[in-house]
Amino acid sequence: MRNLFNFIIRNSHWLLAILLIAFSLYLLFDNNPYQRSVFLSSANRVAGWMYSASNSVVSFVHLKKSNQLLMEQNAAIESELVQLREQLDTRLVADTTGMEAVIPDSIGKAQFEFIPARVVNISYSGVNNFITLNRGSSDGVKPDMGVISQRGAVGVVSNVSDNFAVVIPLINPKFRVSAMLKNSENYGSISWDGNSLSEVQLGELPKHEVYQEGDTVHTSFSRIFPKRIVIGFVSSIGKSRDDNFSTFNVRLATDFYSLQNVYVIKDSYYEEQKVLEEALLQ
Amino acid sequence: MKTDYLKEFLLFVLLILTQVLLLNRISLFGIATPVLYIYFLLKLPMGRSPYYVIISGFLLGLIIDIFLNTPGMNATATTIIATFRKPILLLFYGRDIHDEYVPSIHADASPFIRYTIFIVLIHISLLFFIESFTLFNLMNTLIRIAVSFVISTPIILALDSLTFRKKPGEQA
């Protein structure tokens, strides 16, 4: 018995090592993003604060490019505004002479709201890519909300703390979203093969799908994104896992290297739709 | 003695900051990232208690993980390295060095370089294999390991030849 105790005492640092390694492995494989505590991710207060501090320096480097983008977007919105105004004018004239029996709701409830956020950290050095945003639950951000940039889809919120949120981007192998070509009715699934930060794969499309290089790929049915959010553009035909479906390589619309400003999409009907759909599953 | 611990703590913090705020934003050719923080474990004195080495190694990895959102990945790798540090040290330095000895390129370059190469290679291999556990092809992982190793080792050796300079003959 005494020998046993001696043995344990003499080798207890091995026991400690085994315990700690076991704990690390537990963290490693217990990767359910919803169960994982916010404390152990970059959404925690200290990490988030440090990332914002360093980002306030780094963002100067991208200032020129961001400005350019904002101006482009401004121009696009401006032209859309003019167009809509014209349409509205013509409609108003036509409508007043038209049917009056049905009065449409004058202020329809907007389904989607956009919460502007800034990227405080982005990792793209490995397989586990993620983005940290400077908006959290106190700004109304919740897990499962979609995130877009001025150019296109970015990812989905996974963890949220009071002031920060962690986003799983399109360039993460865990990310899946349903998508379709612009001029088609078939939808497939977007995934990432880990090879390039500017390309994702659109798979599970029927073999007969017609495509041209440069075709726009946008979201289809999804609880995360509204319909018709641009994801990217077809660049080439990719390797298929089996012969029944084809896979396309898609050049991403969002440039993850210089991502600074994003919008988190708040869907006011999200809960309602989720409850309804999940009631069926039970 | 006290100042040693203080120095180690400062090194610990500085290495984490450098790794997280600077090096992890580098993605050479889109595949490789310099891994510097393991330098902390390289530089602990020879006779440090194994508990101290293992726990600090674990904390080092865990804090890096928290910043990089990779729970357990770096912690597993650093804890394994910390556990086997002493046998590896003995392997390259032999048994005749005293407990206060801090491995350094200034004191004895050849074993230090071999010891660094060995530890960095194991650490980076562990890291990338853990990272690609389920996904992605072996070739890709091997290339990532090779390139990361080739850029990390010179950085660590260069860092060591810049710092902790002690005049020859002075006791550590």
Side-chain angles (χ1 to χ4, degrees):
Chain A
M1 202 62 192
R2 193 198 279 156
N3 279 343
L4 181 68
F5 279 130
N6 277 339
F7 177 80
I8 290 175
I9 289 165
R10 223 176 325 120
N11 294 294
S12 57
H13 68 275
W14 289 99
L15 281 177
L16 175 73
I18 290 167
L19 271 176
L20 288 179
I21 291 171
F23 179 66
S24 310
L25 288 174
Y26 166 73
L27 286 178
L28 190 65
F29 290 109
D30 176 51
N31 56 0
N32 188 337
Y34 301 106
Q35 320 264 290
R36 195 197 303 158
S37 86
V38 170
F39 179 71
L40 285 178
S41 80
S42 72
N44 89 50
R45 189 171 307 217
V46 181
W49 176 82
M50 265 185 46
Y51 274 140
S52 342
S54 90
N55 189 259
S56 56
V57 178
V58 176
S59 63
F60 269 106
V61 182
H62 297 291
L63 212 56
K64 204 172 163 191
K65 205 168 181 185
S66 302
N67 248 338
Q68 180 72 27
L69 255 173
L70 281 175
M71 272 161 70
E72 278 168 23
Q73 198 198 8
N74 226 336
I77 291 173
E78 192 86 14
S79 73
E80 210 178 316
L81 181 73
V82 172
Q83 240 178 18
L84 286 174
R85 249 190 214 143
E86 269 172 28
Q87 267 184 29
L88 205 64
D89 283 350
T90 51
R91 284 274 172 82
L92 275 179
V93 176
D95 266 10
T96 41
T97 56
M99 198 167 70
E100 284 178 3
V102 181
I103 302 168
D105 203 348
S106 56
I107 318 163
K109 191 185 170 200
Q111 185 181 359
F112 298 107
E113 273 176 64
F114 297 88
I115 306 167
R118 282 184 67 79
V119 173
V120 294
N121 182 44
I122 178 163
S123 124
Y124 39 67
S125 55
V127 179
N128 296 299
N129 298 319
F130 67 90
I131 300 171
T132 313
L133 305 180
N134 68 344
R135 291 273 181 270
S137 52
S138 58
D139 307 285
V141 178
K142 286 180 200 148
D144 274 340
M145 284 183 171
V147 179
I148 57 170
S149 68
Q150 288 105 341
R151 291 186 173 172
V154 171
V156 55
V157 175
S158 91
N159 284 13
V160 177
S161 69
D162 283 354
N163 296 307
F164 296 99
V166 175
V167 175
I168 295 185
L170 288 160
I171 46 168
N172 185 311
K174 285 176 203 149
F175 188 91
R176 290 276 185 287
V177 71
S178 128
M180 60 206 287
L181 296 183
K182 195 177 181 182
N183 300 314
S184 158
E185 270 146 23
N186 304 311
Y187 44 90
S189 157
I190 288 277
S191 58
W192 186 58
D193 66 359
N195 285 331
S196 163
L197 292 176
S198 54
E199 254 187 11
V200 291
Q201 280 64 42
L202 171 62
E204 293 160 35
L205 274 177
K207 225 28 200 184
H208 55 77
E209 182 80 13
V210 191
Y211 81 103
Q212 274 183 320
E213 239 169 69
D215 272 357
T216 310
V217 176
H218 57 68
T219 55
S220 68
F221 311 105
S222 149
R223 265 197 231 144
I224 303 170
F225 294 110
K227 258 187 168 183
R228 298 191 177 273
I229 295 281
V230 176
I231 292 172
F233 312 96
V234 174
S235 62
S236 62
I237 191 145
K239 261 191 285 177
S240 255
R241 217 173 286 168
D242 60 64
D243 286 342
N244 300 326
F245 297 102
S246 45
T247 300
F248 298 128
N249 290 323
V250 177
R251 189 164 43 82
L252 284 169
T254 303
D255 178 9
F256 283 95
Y257 284 107
S258 63
L259 194 61
Q260 289 284 315
N261 299 300
V262 296
Y263 301 94
V264 181
I265 305 169
K266 188 176 179 183
D267 179 354
S268 38
Y269 297 142
Y270 178 82
E271 281 302 324
E272 195 179 329
Q273 189 187 350
K274 189 179 170 189
V275 167
L276 199 62
E277 286 176 358
E278 278 174 5
L280 198 67
L281 291 177
Q282 281 159 14
Chain B
M1 202 64 193
K2 277 262 165 52
T3 55
D4 278 357
Y5 284 102
L6 191 67
K7 265 186 199 160
E8 279 163 23
F9 178 72
L10 281 178
L11 183 66
F12 186 86
V13 174
L14 273 176
L15 283 174
I16 289 178
L17 289 181
T18 322
Q19 184 69 42
V20 179
L21 297 182
L22 190 68
L23 296 179
N24 265 87
R25 305 199 167 180
I26 298 172
S27 177
L28 213 62
F29 317 121
I31 48 171
T33 305
V35 182
L36 184 65
Y37 63 89
I38 197 71
Y39 183 67
F40 173 78
L41 286 179
L42 287 173
K43 292 298 282 186
L44 288 177
M46 178 74 187
R48 252 315 173 267
S49 113
Y51 301 102
Y52 181 87
V53 178
I54 291 169
I55 291 176
S56 60
F58 172 72
L59 286 178
L60 180 70
L62 190 72
I63 294 173
I64 296 272
D65 278 335
I66 289 174
F67 275 102
L68 301 184
N69 284 340
T70 50
M73 203 178 90
N74 291 284
T76 312
T78 50
T79 318
I80 293 175
I81 293 288
T83 315
F84 293 102
R85 193 188 85 109
K86 185 109 187 219
I88 296 171
L89 259 176
L90 292 174
L91 183 70
F92 288 103
Y93 278 93
R95 291 194 171 271
D96 52 345
I97 46 172
H98 57 89
D99 279 358
E100 295 296 305
Y101 186 85
V102 178
S104 154
I105 198 165
H106 298 298
D108 203 350
S110 150
F112 183 76
I113 292 173
R114 279 182 283 150
Y115 158 73
T116 307
I117 287 177
F118 192 74
I119 290 212
V120 172
L121 189 60
I122 295 183
H123 178 243
I124 290 181
S125 308
L126 279 172
L127 211 56
F128 284 103
F129 272 115
I130 295 169
E131 184 183 68
S132 61
F133 235 119
T134 48
L135 289 155
F136 306 121
N137 51 34
L138 184 68
M139 211 48 222
N140 195 348
T141 310
L142 289 179
I143 292 171
R144 285 165 58 104
I145 290 174
V147 181
S148 294
F149 169 70
V150 168
I151 51 177
S152 303
T153 318
I155 295 178
I156 290 180
L157 292 175
L159 180 71
D160 195 60
S161 50
L162 286 175
T163 53
F164 291 93
R165 188 166 300 223
K166 289 217 165 86
K167 289 197 184 79
E170 189 184 333
Q171 275 298 317

